[in-house]
Amino acid sequence: MPALPRPHDAEAASQLAGRFAERGAAERSFGATPEGTALLAALGGHSPYLADLALRESATLLRLMERGPDAAFALALDPLGRADPAATRPGVASLLRQAKRQAALIAAVADILGLWALDRVTGALSDLADACTDYACAHLLREAQARGDLKLAGGAARHDPRATCKGSGLIVLGMGKLGGRELNYSSDIDLMVLYDPEAATYDADRAGAIYVRLARDLVRLLDERTEDGYCFRTDLRLRPDPAATPLAVSLPAAIIYYESMGQNWERAAMIKARPVAGDRALGEHFLREIRPFVWRRHLDFAAVADIHSIKRQIHAHKGHKGANAQVQVAGHDVKLGRGGIREIEFTVQVLQLIWGGRDPALRDPTTLGALAALAAAGKIDRRAAADLADAYGFLRQVEHRLQMVADRQTHRLPEDAAGLANIASFMGFDTPEAFASALTGHLTRVERRYAGLFETSPDLSAGDEVQGDLVFTGVEDDPATLATLRGLGFQNPAAVAATVRGWHHGRARATRSERARELLTALMPSLLAALAKQPQPDAALMRLDAALARMTTGVQVLSLLARNPALLDRLAFVLGAAPQLADHFARNAAALDGLLAGHAAPGNDPAASLPALVKDARFLEEALEAARRLVTEGKFEIDAAALEGRLDTDAAGLARSALADAAIGALLPRIAQDFAQRHGKVAGGALGVVALGKLGGRDMLPGSDLDLILVYDHPAEAPDSKGGTKSLAPSQYFARLANQMVGALTAPGAEGRLYEVDMRLRPSGSKGPVAVSLSSFARYHAESAWTWERMALTRARFVAGAPALKRKVEAAIRQAQTRSADATQVLADARAMRARMLRDLPADGPWDVKHRPGGLVEVEFISQALQVAHAHRLPAVISPTTRLGLAALAKAGILPEAEAAALVAADRLWRAITAHLRLTVGRWPEETLPEPVALALAAATGQLLPSPVAASATIDQPAYRAQMRAVAQQVRESFTRHIGSPEQP
């Protein structure tokens, strides 16, 4: 048996041992053993309450020591699983209190002996509360049926409390620690009682009175002290608007309340909510309905200050301005005081509210589980999470020992030396000083972590960056403010001042609320300083003005900026350097969430939470909106990171492609599931998605569309689909399913559309069916594919579908890629195709690096044509990614290594220029680029040129274009050498 704490009060320990021996022979025998002596000393020497329980429930204690705590606990709860229809109210009350006594003794002893970990202790106490509440509800529902208030299912099922409650219209949610299965030893239980007025009442108009009576009787049955003690103190104040609503609230009224008036603290409370009694299925339905209220679609930093204000109110209400305003030991409240349990819980809940709307994995209702998830997702430093987890375990143990002493719902340490010494001993410490040292260590670490996350107000001033006045009140310009703006570099200070004044007067939609204007005032110095760093600060500010004018509310965006000052510089850079991205931000402020999320870094998955969000959605349209939102944010973040130089061209292409892969992979099974509800399934059939083009090659550019082929397979004699409301023949089934998939990717929504889709590369082109069978796909590419189709197929990549189908499709693709080819004819076809493109699709100016002679198309043609010409004898040359294909051709000896390296460099340069121009000017520009665009282009691509261009305040555009021509000439020479001159007839 583990070492037990030595008794602090030796006399009380001796008294318990003597009285326990008087209970009977079994008790006397157990008390004489070393294990019994030590246990009784630990209980009697620290806790009058546990000493009384050990005497009153001695049989339970002996059973625990003989069979173990799990078996003893199950036996204690067993009577609550068999409802007696003939039981009286006093009989039910007595049974509940007996179960509570026995379970409380078992949990305490298992805790003190170290047989149960913290989560098992709190989970067992929560199971006890669940069982008691369920049993009480079943009895009260049967009483209501006997009175003629409710109609319930009859029969033998009435002996099962859960069966009695099913269909009753009664919902009892566990909130707080009960909801999170973290109940403390002498905890109140927070309940919310809801009801469906239509479910079980004979008269819906009377439902309110009936269920309010049930709620009142439930509280009385659990809460009232009798000769057997009490069961649980019960609190119903977490229901919607408790000052104005009855004890039981109807489901429609609760849903309307949360959708229209719910507060941030109620969102935090709902993180832990779960059905604990009544009709559990109906309770789960209610929680699904209000999930959008709890887990908001966008990052919600506006909630931080609001929730933190609750913490400050608790401190004020509980008098923590004095003793508990700092870390101490005597009299310290381990729950609400500085560094206490509540600060850990607030840390976790605020971070969950901020990030959980985007990532369902962060919605764990348990404190320790949520901490681990937040750390794994990078939302909290792992060392900080470990400190908080360690402190949480220690402080919860202190809390339990405090409550075990006298079964009081207390969290405050004794102020007297004797009381502190008792708790120190009960915790297993040799001296009060050792306990105090351990306690203050944990409290101090929690206080530091909490303060670092929430209590340090962000520095919203611009510091030394802004010297002078910034006054935007009144209707006239302030001369000193104009001088300040001019000193910052704004060219038209009067126009800037007028614009900012308009924001303060609420003329922009985003600044019409008082809170938005307060945030704007605090942000203004930093905001203007960040914009002033841009090459054209006036233009950047006007783009921000356009964005504010389009937003319905600015509080979220301004709160994000206030909480994350570094985000200001990133946003200002986008506004100043990338008009296309700035316009996207103006149309969709949620894109700012993507900047903050920070997924766009090498090795990170830009949409790691997308599959979970799509799966978690209640219906298909919600899944589509979740996908559109995350893809929109992901695109913006990747593009911004590429523009800032945090992602190089290759990494950005991989990130964009991974984002598209994630969207397709998440949506295909959800759409197939939704389709199957209407049309059933084709036995043994499946649909998959093959990517070609830039997605297939994993080098997508900003604005790239998706070149897709949808391939299906099913047994040769498969019958029509079965299981839905309307059967379809297999070919018709998969054609319609494919249309659904393409529609999901291209349909516009509130967040825009996911992608444009190009399906012209499928067999038979745009005139063929949207989905092609695997057999037709394989046959077409074996017998009929043109050279250009074979070249396109070098970039084929299976991106979504069942593993079995993936293996078959990839085998068919590989067979098509490596089938025999006439190398001379392949190269002649490629040369002729390029000649037609030069004639029909000439380059649109000097910056059209895709179509120009020696441009991106010719690099890709070299890679693809040589792969097709040689893959039948050298399969290793096949690669969907151009740069990897060129490297493979060099390794096979088909291209000289130096030439392949030059082509890889050209491919990278052309993609970098294309991406940058799409993000900045959005089209192929005229001969001369705007100076800010040219400077940013040089910064982004200067190192990719034959003679690297260093970043500076100016750029020699003619010299830059001369280097581009030199690269293009190299590519054209390679094209001519390996494929032939496309200029010749």
Side-chain angles (χ1 to χ4, degrees):
M1 187 171 70
L4 286 163
R6 293 192 300 271
H8 174 70
D9 186 337
E11 183 179 349
S14 177
Q15 288 178 358
L16 174 61
R19 294 176 65 192
F20 193 81
E22 294 170 0
R23 299 287 297 177
E27 285 84 353
R28 188 163 49 253
S29 175
F30 172 72
T33 65
E35 295 84 355
T37 300
L39 177 59
L40 293 173
L43 299 180
H46 296 102
S47 168
Y49 171 68
L50 292 181
D52 288 344
L53 273 187
L55 292 172
R56 185 166 184 176
E57 297 293 341
S58 60
T60 299
L61 182 60
L62 295 176
R63 188 182 305 121
L64 182 158
M65 300 307 295
E66 178 184 352
R67 302 188 187 183
D70 292 297
F73 191 81
L75 283 171
L77 263 59
D78 181 66
L80 302 180
R82 301 188 307 276
D84 179 4
T88 63
R89 182 83 66 92
V92 169
S94 178
L95 182 64
L96 292 172
R97 283 148 183 78
Q98 173 187 294
K100 168 67 184 294
R101 289 193 306 274
Q102 293 177 357
L105 178 62
I106 294 164
V109 172
D111 188 359
I112 295 167
L113 286 172
L115 300 176
W116 280 356
L118 174 64
D119 62 341
R120 180 68 179 101
V121 174
T122 60
L125 294 169
S126 303
D127 288 343
L128 169 66
D130 289 4
C132 289
T133 308
D134 222 12
Y135 189 86
C137 284
H139 173 75
L140 295 172
L141 287 167
R142 285 194 301 273
E143 282 190 343
Q145 183 183 41
R147 289 194 303 268
D149 287 342
L150 299 175
K151 50 181 183 293
L152 303 175
R158 294 172 58 190
H159 292 276
D160 178 355
R162 292 202 176 190
T164 301
C165 294
K166 187 176 181 180
S168 66
L170 176 69
I171 298 171
V172 182
L173 298 181
M175 309 292 290
K177 284 189 167 57
L178 173 59
R181 292 183 49 76
E182 298 174 323
L183 214 58
N184 56 47
Y185 191 74
S186 296
S187 182
D188 296 350
I189 58 172
D190 293 303
L191 302 178
M192 182 187 297
V193 180
L194 307 170
Y195 65 91
D196 179 357
E198 304 288 343
T201 54
Y202 293 98
D203 181 0
D205 292 336
R206 293 186 56 236
I210 292 169
Y211 288 101
V212 166
R213 178 176 178 178
L214 277 170
R216 186 179 297 112
D217 288 347
L218 175 63
V219 171
R220 186 177 295 121
L221 192 50
L222 296 174
D223 205 311
E224 223 170 36
R225 280 195 175 272
T226 70
E227 60 185 11
D228 295 309
Y230 73 102
C231 185
F232 281 99
R233 292 177 293 269
T234 306
D235 193 336
L236 301 182
R237 288 176 296 175
L238 288 181
R239 67 186 184 276
D241 196 6
T245 55
L247 295 180
V249 180
S250 75
L251 272 181
I255 291 171
I256 291 171
Y257 172 83
Y258 288 120
E259 288 178 346
S260 59
M261 299 174 62
Q263 305 298 302
N264 279 317
W265 71 266
E266 291 172 306
R267 294 176 57 209
M270 279 295 172
I271 291 175
K272 295 182 180 294
R274 67 181 175 91
V276 297
D279 190 332
R280 282 173 164 77
L282 189 58
E284 294 288 358
H285 168 75
F286 167 72
L287 292 178
R288 284 194 299 272
E289 286 299 306
I290 66 165
R291 192 160 54 197
F293 158 71
V294 182
W295 304 111
R296 301 217 172 134
R297 298 188 305 167
H298 307 307
L299 301 182
D300 192 8
F301 282 82
V304 175
D306 190 16
I307 294 174
H308 181 60
S309 70
I310 302 166
K311 177 71 165 54
R312 291 196 300 271
Q313 290 166 20
I314 290 170
H315 279 307
H317 177 67
K318 298 293 183 181
H320 292 169
K321 292 184 180 295
N324 285 287
Q326 57 188 7
V327 168
Q328 57 176 22
V329 177
H332 195 76
D333 191 314
V334 297
K335 177 181 179 182
L336 301 176
R338 284 292 189 179
I341 296 166
R342 182 58 59 87
E343 289 188 354
I344 302 171
E345 293 171 339
F346 265 76
T347 297
V348 171
Q349 290 169 6
V350 170
L351 291 174
Q352 284 181 290
L353 289 182
I354 292 169
W355 299 104
R358 294 164 50 86
D359 188 352
L362 304 181
R363 300 176 187 176
D364 193 310
T366 68
T367 301
L368 293 178
L371 260 178
L374 288 163
K379 305 309 179 189
I380 185 172
D381 177 75
R382 288 184 181 273
R383 184 63 258 171
D387 283 347
L388 295 175
D390 290 345
Y392 183 80
F394 184 86
L395 294 175
R396 287 301 305 270
Q397 190 176 24
V398 174
E399 178 184 54
H400 283 187
R401 297 300 180 271
L402 287 169
Q403 294 173 357
M404 286 175 185
V405 171
D407 189 28
R408 289 178 53 233
Q409 174 67 341
T410 183
H411 313 277
R412 190 180 293 272
L413 286 159
E415 297 188 13
D416 62 294
L420 277 174
N422 183 56
I423 295 300
S425 173
F426 209 1
M427 287 287 293
F429 286 89
D430 292 332
T431 65
E433 291 74 21
F435 168 66
S437 176
L439 175 67
T440 53
H442 284 298
L443 294 173
T444 301
R445 282 188 287 275
V446 172
E447 181 186 35
R448 184 174 68 250
R449 297 298 187 185
Y450 181 86
L453 282 166
F454 301 120
E455 290 196 340
T456 52
S457 299
D459 182 6
L460 299 176
S461 71
D464 295 333
E465 295 177 273
V466 175
Q467 299 292 332
D469 294 342
L470 287 176
V471 178
F472 298 103
T473 57
V475 295
E476 296 182 357
D477 291 334
D478 170 51
T481 297
L482 296 183
T484 302
L485 293 172
R486 191 175 291 107
L488 286 170
F490 289 96
Q491 299 299 306
N492 190 342
V496 171
T499 301
V500 175
R501 256 197 324 274
W503 296 345
H504 285 291
H505 292 164
R507 293 181 192 131
R509 293 176 66 188
T511 63
R512 286 176 186 165
S513 73
E514 182 179 355
R515 176 62 179 152
R517 293 194 294 275
E518 288 174 356
L519 288 165
L520 188 65
T521 299
L523 276 171
M524 194 51 61
S526 294
L527 180 60
L528 290 173
L531 293 172
K533 297 174 187 175
Q534 306 313 309
Q536 292 182 320
D538 298 71
L541 184 132
M542 292 307 160
R543 291 183 189 120
L544 178 59
D545 181 53
L548 294 174
R550 288 181 177 139
M551 294 177 201
T552 55
T553 175
V555 171
Q556 293 293 339
V557 167
L558 295 171
S559 295
L560 275 172
L561 297 174
R563 278 280 164 185
N564 301 273
L567 196 60
L568 267 177
D569 287 329
R570 298 194 65 196
L571 178 60
F573 178 82
V574 168
L575 293 169
Q580 293 300 307
L581 277 185
D583 288 345
H584 173 76
F585 166 66
R587 291 190 302 271
N588 194 329
L592 198 61
D593 290 357
L595 277 186
L596 183 65
H599 293 306
N604 281 5
D605 184 345
S609 59
L610 200 154
L613 274 180
V614 169
K615 184 179 180 180
D616 190 55
R618 294 168 297 173
F619 41 84
L620 181 59
E621 189 53 44
E622 187 177 278
L624 292 176
E625 282 302 318
R628 291 180 190 120
R629 182 175 70 257
L630 214 60
V631 167
T632 296
E633 294 169 6
K635 288 178 183 176
F636 187 82
E637 160 66 1
I638 294 165
D639 291 345
L643 199 63
E644 295 165 327
R646 294 188 301 111
L647 286 182
D648 64 27
T649 302
D650 294 345
L654 287 169
R656 294 187 188 100
S657 303
L659 184 64
D661 284 358
I664 297 169
L667 287 174
L668 179 60
R670 184 62 193 260
I671 290 164
Q673 177 187 6
D674 184 76
F675 190 78
Q677 291 177 354
R678 300 189 302 277
H679 299 292
K681 293 184 179 181
V682 173
L687 179 73
V689 181
V690 175
L692 299 99
K694 290 286 187 290
L695 175 57
R698 291 193 178 95
D699 51 15
M700 288 181 71
L701 295 167
S704 288
D705 56 16
L706 306 183
D707 292 299
L708 302 179
I709 300 175
L710 278 78
V711 182
Y712 67 89
D713 188 38
H714 59 78
E717 302 301 324
D720 292 356
S721 62
K722 293 181 180 179
T725 56
K726 182 180 179 181
S727 296
L728 295 173
S731 60
Q732 187 181 21
Y733 182 94
F734 288 109
R736 289 195 184 182
L737 177 56
N739 274 318
Q740 294 268 325
M741 182 63 191
V742 173
L745 292 172
T746 58
E751 307 284 349
R753 70 180 74 233
L754 285 167
Y755 294 98
E756 298 288 350
V757 173
D758 188 341
M759 304 193 68
R760 289 175 294 179
L761 293 179
R762 67 188 187 272
S764 303
S766 57
K767 296 180 180 178
V770 174
V772 59
S773 70
L774 177 58
S775 58
S776 297
F777 175 86
R779 185 169 57 253
Y780 180 86
H781 281 285
E783 301 172 0
S784 308
W786 296 78
T787 296
W788 69 267
E789 291 175 305
R790 298 192 63 184
M791 289 170 61
L793 201 66
T794 62
R795 312 201 75 181
R797 187 168 60 86
F798 190 93
V799 295
L805 179 61
K806 178 181 181 180
R807 290 191 292 271
K808 292 181 182 179
V809 172
E810 287 181 339
I813 291 172
R814 195 67 175 172
Q815 186 173 1
Q817 290 172 335
T818 56
R819 77 179 174 89
S820 180
D822 182 339
T824 302
Q825 186 61 51
V826 167
L827 299 179
D829 289 346
R831 182 172 65 249
M833 183 164 45
R834 179 60 183 139
R836 283 196 302 274
M837 291 180 67
L838 287 168
R839 182 182 69 246
D840 299 337
L841 293 171
D844 187 12
W847 295 101
D848 184 352
V849 297
K850 177 179 179 181
H851 297 103
R852 68 177 295 165
L856 184 61
V857 165
E858 292 189 8
V859 177
E860 293 173 343
F861 266 46
I862 293 169
S863 175
Q864 294 168 13
L866 291 179
Q867 286 182 58
V868 172
H870 298 283
H872 63 284
R873 61 184 184 84
L874 296 169
V877 301
I878 293 292
S879 173
T881 305
T882 300
R883 61 185 179 279
L884 300 181
L886 292 167
L889 289 165
K891 187 175 182 180
I894 297 168
L895 282 175
E897 286 191 12
E899 188 174 1
L903 289 169
V904 168
D907 168 68
R908 191 170 285 125
L909 174 65
W910 297 149
R911 285 186 291 113
I913 292 174
T914 302
H916 191 86
L917 295 179
R918 286 186 183 180
L919 294 176
T920 52
V921 294
R923 55 182 172 77
W924 302 122
E926 301 297 332
E927 186 78 12
T928 302
L929 292 175
E931 188 64 19
V933 174
L935 287 171
L937 178 64
T941 64
Q943 298 306 308
L944 301 178
L945 294 168
S947 300
V949 175
S952 64
T954 60
I955 178 174
D956 184 345
Q957 291 195 44
Y960 187 97
R961 289 197 301 274
Q963 292 208 57
M964 290 170 54
R965 287 194 295 272
V967 172
Q969 181 61 35
Q970 275 189 307
V971 173
R972 172 50 66 90
E973 289 171 359
S974 290
F975 189 96
T976 301
R977 187 160 39 251
H978 296 284
I979 297 179
S981 173
E983 307 290 352
Q984 297 176 357

